[in-house]
Amino acid sequence: MQPFDNVRHIAFAGMDGLILYFGGKDVTQMNAAVSAYHLALKANPPIWLKEAIPSYDSLLILFDAKITDSHGVYHLLRQLQPQMSAGKSLRRHRIPVWYGAPEANDLDEVASHTGLAVSEIIALHTATVYRVFAVGFAPGFAYLGESPERLSVPRRKTPRTKVPAGAVALADRQAAVYPQMSPGGWQLLGLSPLTLFDPASAQPALLQAGDAVEFYEIDEREYLEQVKA
Amino acid sequence: MTISFTMINPGFISLIVDAGRTGMQEQGFSGSGPLDVEAFNFANWLCGNPEGNPCIEIAGDVHIRFEHSATIAVCGPAVSLAVNGEPASELATANLSAGDEVQVSQQLAGQRCYFAVQGAWQVPEIAGSVCTVMREKLGGLAGDGKPLHAGDTIQVVPAAQENISRILPASMLAPYDSDAPVDIIPAYQHDMFSSRVRATFYSSAYSVTPQSDRMGYRISGPAISSGFEAMRSEGINCGSVQVPADGQPIIMLADRQTLGGYPKIGVIAPYDLPRVAQSVPGTTLTFNPVDPENARGTWLLRQARIDNFFRNN
């Protein structure tokens, strides 16, 4: 199948799947193209569409093979008119963080890896506009990128068995907020009182691929107030 | 009114499953659903249930007591059913009276069968499905992802339908005992594996290992290393064969994570997935590459045969 527009490569993903890989100068630009196609597909979902799973530079499309075949899917994709607005995000979220909360505090370790003071770490983290590149690994777990190079940290040598829900984390040049308590090997900066995942809601995950995320600092008192609210 | 039944012994593992979570993978929910979709569909058909009605996916020997009269069926490879200790015909509807006790057992440890009860199960729906995903702590009787325990009671609102009696010919079941190669569609990073590695994969036998669960089955055999490491995570279709750095493939199944960063050589054709999922550790599998449209043709014929049988019986 011939690539077209921002699509640099198309591969079969089984009898009932196609995966599109997008081009661009960096992952942010590739991901913007992924979001544009994802959005255009979902704006008017064809009856055969079972899943459209966006990730960093790819969009996996699973279809009902009783209704169409890969040619039919390809034909429709070629006709999509995604609104490309380079790097533009879908929604913007501002996420409060109590940095250094005792249950989620690897600030000293991050400081020793980066050579930054704790105040500089917080300043860099709150100054970055992150993009949700992908949601996966666990329900509602959003991969955010990219941290400034100076904030890049390796994963912990020994992963924790229990990272609390709301923990704000860094690994390499990625960031995340743990939607539920789970094991995890990322470095923790603090806790957010925000509910990122509500399985009973029609849209359980607050953060969706393509969204923009900014963090801001709150103190313990504000954290406790917002948790109660 | 509702009827109820109680798990006296849940066997090795008993999970409430339905057709799975559709349209939720972009939010990180596992697709879930039965490991053997065909046996699941047959069990529901035997009970006169709508497609996708909840069932219990059973591994091991299970003992269940019915507090009320009910219509049940069980379907899977080499499964046997007893009511109050008397053998009952498997692959057939059974109509139970209040107080009846049912035992389900399977010849091979590691296989799964589906236990259907006619009616609307009163179990909580989460993200569009009642499917139990233990790793996600979602679904099942209490919605928290726990498998069924001894003493758990399930409530069902019976269907208005009178007692029904259906029989499924064994010839309708997937060819569980076939040693024919498993059809696989070359997909994803297939072209990036060297031709020598691909030739190795298609000409070698792989053995199902005990490291196999609802997320995926690990198979062992000649290594098929891809030689590339850094790959961005991407969506994973059911039946994808991913190859980690050690070259030992993993077949991704119902409870697979939605995204993964291992290269994938292909995706198993859906009509061969029941047979793969019912392969117990030690089973030997070989693989045969098929064109996606040919695979679709084979799949459509099988679906048409099943649909036709359902329509006429």
Side-chain angles (χ1 to χ4, degrees), chain A residues 12-13 42 51 55 65 70 140 205, chain B residues 23 26-27 188 233 237 293 296:
Chain A
F12 287 108
K42 301 240 338 187
E51 301 282 348
S55 191
S70 56
Chain B
E26 62 185 60
Q27 293 190 56
Y188 288 102
S233 283
N237 197 1
E293 303 312 341
R296 180 169 173 268

Side-chain angles (χ1 to χ4, degrees), chain B residues 222-245:
Chain B
I224 48 164
S225 301
S226 59
F228 52 93
E229 284 163 17
M231 210 191 94
R232 293 193 182 95
S233 283
E234 60 186 28
I236 308 173
N237 197 1
C238 194
S240 291
V241 178
Q242 68 175 26
V243 186

Side-chain angles (χ1 to χ4, degrees), chain A:
Chain A
M1 271 172 276
Q2 288 301 312
F4 55 91
D5 299 341
N6 311 59
V7 179
R8 69 179 153 81
H9 179 59
I10 304 169
F12 287 108
M15 181 199 88
D16 55 354
L18 283 182
I19 185 162
L20 277 60
Y21 298 93
F22 293 83
K25 69 170 164 52
D26 56 24
V27 66
T28 301
Q29 206 181 70
M30 294 178 208
N31 193 255
V34 172
S35 296
Y37 272 84
H38 183 223
L39 204 64
L41 190 61
K42 301 240 338 187
N44 219 340
I47 47 161
W48 44 254
L49 184 66
K50 287 167 75 180
E51 301 282 348
I53 309 172
S55 191
Y56 291 87
D57 64 339
S58 66
L59 179 63
L60 172 63
I61 294 163
L62 303 182
F63 56 87
D64 184 341
K66 270 192 180 173
I67 308 177
T68 191
D69 62 8
S70 56
H71 303 292
V73 175
Y74 178 78
H75 186 69
L76 180 123
L77 290 170
R78 282 216 68 153
Q79 291 182 333
L80 276 186
Q81 303 277 323
Q83 297 296 311
M84 285 301 301
S85 33
K88 192 163 179 280
S89 54
L90 303 178
R91 293 184 307 160
R92 235 179 156 76
H93 306 271
R94 294 193 74 237
I95 296 183
V97 186
W98 170 24
Y99 289 95
E103 301 93 325
N105 184 2
D106 294 328
L107 284 171
D108 288 344
E109 211 167 321
V110 174
S112 71
H113 278 299
T114 58
L116 298 167
V118 167
S119 60
E120 292 174 302
I121 295 167
I122 296 171
L124 271 175
H125 190 247
T126 52
T128 306
V129 180
Y130 285 99
R131 182 183 179 82
V132 180
F133 284 137
V135 176
F137 166 66
F141 189 94
Y143 291 89
L144 312 176
E146 285 189 304
S147 292
E149 190 68 59
R150 291 171 65 206
L151 208 51
S152 178
V153 282
R155 285 166 175 75
R156 294 174 61 82
K157 285 206 180 72
T158 315
R160 283 188 174 81
T161 52
K162 282 183 181 177
V163 174
V168 176
L170 291 179
D172 307 321
R173 291 186 61 190
Q174 301 199 87
V177 188
Y178 282 84
Q180 297 128 295
M181 188 171 74
S182 64
W186 292 26
Q187 309 277 3
L188 309 181
L189 302 184
L191 281 180
S192 176
L194 219 60
T195 301
L196 281 107
F197 177 70
D198 173 12
S201 153
Q203 191 200 289
L206 177 71
L207 305 181
Q208 306 279 312
D211 288 355
V213 174
E214 283 174 277
F215 296 96
Y216 67 97
E217 185 172 14
I218 56 170
D219 58 22
E220 180 175 5
R221 188 181 54 81
E222 293 168 294
Y223 173 83
L224 292 172
E225 278 169 6
Q226 292 192 34
V227 164
K228 262 185 257 155

Side-chain angles (χ1 to χ4, degrees), chain B residues 30-235:
Chain B
S30 169
S32 67
L35 268 192
D36 179 347
V37 178
E38 287 192 11
F40 166 82
N41 287 337
F42 288 143
N44 270 326
W45 173 80
L46 283 167
C47 275
N49 279 335
E51 203 179 313
N53 208 62
C55 282
I56 301 176
E57 185 179 272
I58 291 173
D61 296 348
V62 161
H63 187 175
I64 302 172
R65 187 181 59 240
F66 279 78
E67 269 74 77
H68 308 85
S69 59
T71 298
I72 65 154
V74 63
C75 185
V79 60
S80 56
L81 174 68
V83 178
N84 301 325
E86 295 294 318
S89 23
E90 62 275 12
L91 304 186
T93 315
N95 288 299
L96 305 180
S97 309
D100 278 354
E101 296 194 0
V102 173
Q103 266 159 319
V104 176
S105 50
Q106 292 174 89
Q107 236 163 59
L108 290 177
Q111 290 192 323
R112 282 148 178 101
C113 67
Y114 295 85
F115 186 85
V117 177
Q118 190 185 73
W121 294 36
Q122 303 301 295
V123 282
E125 207 169 84
I126 291 166
S129 162
V130 305
C131 219
T132 318
V133 183
M134 291 164 68
R135 178 171 46 87
E136 295 179 348
K137 302 186 180 71
L138 288 177
L141 189 56
D144 58 3
K146 295 230 168 70
L148 291 170
H149 292 111
D152 281 349
T153 294
I154 297 172
Q155 310 282 336
V156 176
V157 177
Q161 220 165 346
E162 291 296 302
N163 282 357
I164 62 163
S165 180
R166 288 177 170 174
I167 296 171
L168 185 75
S171 62
M172 289 301 294
L173 291 181
Y176 295 117
D177 55 355
S178 168
D179 53 8
V182 170
D183 279 357
I184 181 168
I185 294 117
Y188 288 102
Q189 289 77 28
H190 178 266
D191 294 348
M192 292 156 80
F193 288 83
S194 74
S195 53
R196 194 174 54 81
V197 165
R198 279 182 265 160
T200 302
F201 180 61
Y202 294 126
S203 62
S204 302
Y206 290 85
S207 170
V208 176
T209 76
Q211 284 79 49
S212 297
D213 57 21
R214 284 182 48 88
M215 271 180 89
Y217 282 15
R218 286 175 185 268
I219 55 177
S220 75
I224 48 164
S225 301
S226 59
F228 52 93
E229 284 163 17
M231 210 191 94
R232 293 193 182 95
S233 283
E234 60 186 28

